[in-house]
Amino acid sequence: MKKETVASMIDHTLLAPEAGMKKIETLCAEAKKYKFASVCINPVYVRAAASELAGSGVHVCTVIGFPLGAVPSEDKADETVHAVRNGADEVDMVIDIGAALDGRMNDVETDIAAVVRAARTEGAKAGKSIIVKVILETCFLDDKTVEACCKCAVSAGADFVKTSTGFASPKGIDGEPLPNGASVHHVALMRRTVGKDTGVKASGGIRSAETAVNMFEAGANRIGTSSGVKIIETWDENSKVKGFDY
């Protein structure tokens, strides 16, 4: 798989709360150099990133209801409208995780649909199609709930389902930390559930070319990572990625 193909499936990510303008400018410069799919940044930097990336072909992606998802649907929709008006091309929204754990899947779907509707409406005004990705935060969900959330996302018209925010801190009953971030198991489960027509984004803990390969082979066609430069610079173009025909 060629480096440019891999780069075109990477969301070059910087969501750290301490990130300032200089780091955003560096992120955008790297994204233009390596031709990443997008930069994924907090909403406060969307306008600046859109200016930095104008004409480059690199998309501006931002997050909605991030990182907890515990925001009323109308507020998530408003966030989406403002993001698109400021120049966002893609939005990654966090589901109502509590509703999913309660089994209130109608509420989960309604929440996703509110963001999709806002993205489609505001995107049409801007003359572009906004990509909507739905963050499930899989570390908190059992497989049945992951499947149900994926079906909600598809039904609501989202373009991608996504594993994680990268900010979750799950703990066991003993108080010890549990794994978070993307896993091959969850990516494969999500791909089986949504089929071929919906994207799967693996995000959280992807810091090496080897891990990226594992995610692609499991069914991801986009990855979110702050290690995009490292992944591309260490990528072996002779490597074969199962499931991809390049």
Side-chain angles (χ1 to χ4, degrees):
M1 184 186 278
K2 298 296 184 182
K3 287 185 177 182
E4 56 264 31
T5 301
V6 179
S8 72
M9 296 190 289
I10 290 177
D11 288 345
H12 195 36
T13 303
L14 179 58
L15 295 167
E18 72 274 16
M21 253 327 296
K22 288 185 178 180
K23 289 185 178 181
I24 296 299
E25 289 170 355
T26 298
L27 188 83
C28 291
E30 291 170 345
K32 287 189 285 188
K33 176 181 178 180
Y34 293 96
K35 296 181 172 58
F36 291 127
S38 79
V39 296
C40 187
I41 53 174
N42 284 308
V44 68
Y45 293 118
V46 166
R47 189 184 296 274
S51 177
E52 289 284 330
L53 294 169
S56 69
V58 178
H59 281 185
V60 177
C61 174
T62 195
V63 287
I64 303 296
F66 192 87
L68 303 179
V71 178
S73 298
E74 55 268 30
D75 291 346
K76 291 180 182 178
D78 286 345
E79 276 192 87
T80 302
V81 168
H82 288 299
V84 175
R85 288 179 180 174
N86 284 335
D89 305 295
E90 306 187 3
V91 294
D92 289 17
M93 66 157 293
V94 186
I95 66 165
D96 183 341
I97 300 165
L101 290 171
D102 285 346
R104 293 183 283 116
M105 304 317 297
N106 285 341
D107 291 344
V108 172
E109 183 172 335
T110 297
D111 187 54
I112 298 169
V115 171
V116 171
R117 185 165 52 250
R120 301 290 182 253
T121 301
E122 207 59 35
K125 293 177 184 178
K128 58 185 180 181
S129 179
I130 306 301
I131 292 174
V132 178
K133 310 189 202 89
V134 178
I135 306 172
L136 306 187
E137 206 68 287
T138 50
C139 62
F140 292 127
L141 310 177
D142 61 23
D143 285 1
K144 181 178 179 181
T145 308
V146 169
E147 290 176 344
C149 288
C150 285
K151 291 175 182 177
C152 287
V154 172
S155 181
D159 302 288
F160 279 79
V161 289
K162 174 179 171 181
T163 56
S164 320
T165 64
F167 284 79
S169 300
K171 295 180 180 180
I173 56 174
D174 57 0
E176 291 298 311
L178 295 174
N180 70 348
S183 72
V184 166
H185 170 76
H186 283 133
V187 169
L189 174 62
M190 292 160 71
R191 173 55 69 198
R192 288 196 303 272
T193 304
V194 302
K196 296 181 178 180
D197 295 332
T198 299
V200 174
K201 178 176 173 179
S203 184
I206 303 171
R207 302 185 181 93
S208 69
E210 180 182 4
T211 304
V213 168
N214 292 338
M215 297 302 164
F216 290 141
E217 290 186 339
N221 58 325
R222 190 80 70 92
I223 62 173
T225 178
S226 59
S227 301
V229 171
K230 176 185 174 184
I231 289 170
I232 294 302
E233 290 188 343
T234 60
W235 188 267
D236 179 3
E237 291 195 331
N238 294 317
S239 64
K240 299 293 184 181
V241 180
K242 298 175 184 176
F244 283 84
D245 184 17
Y246 294 111

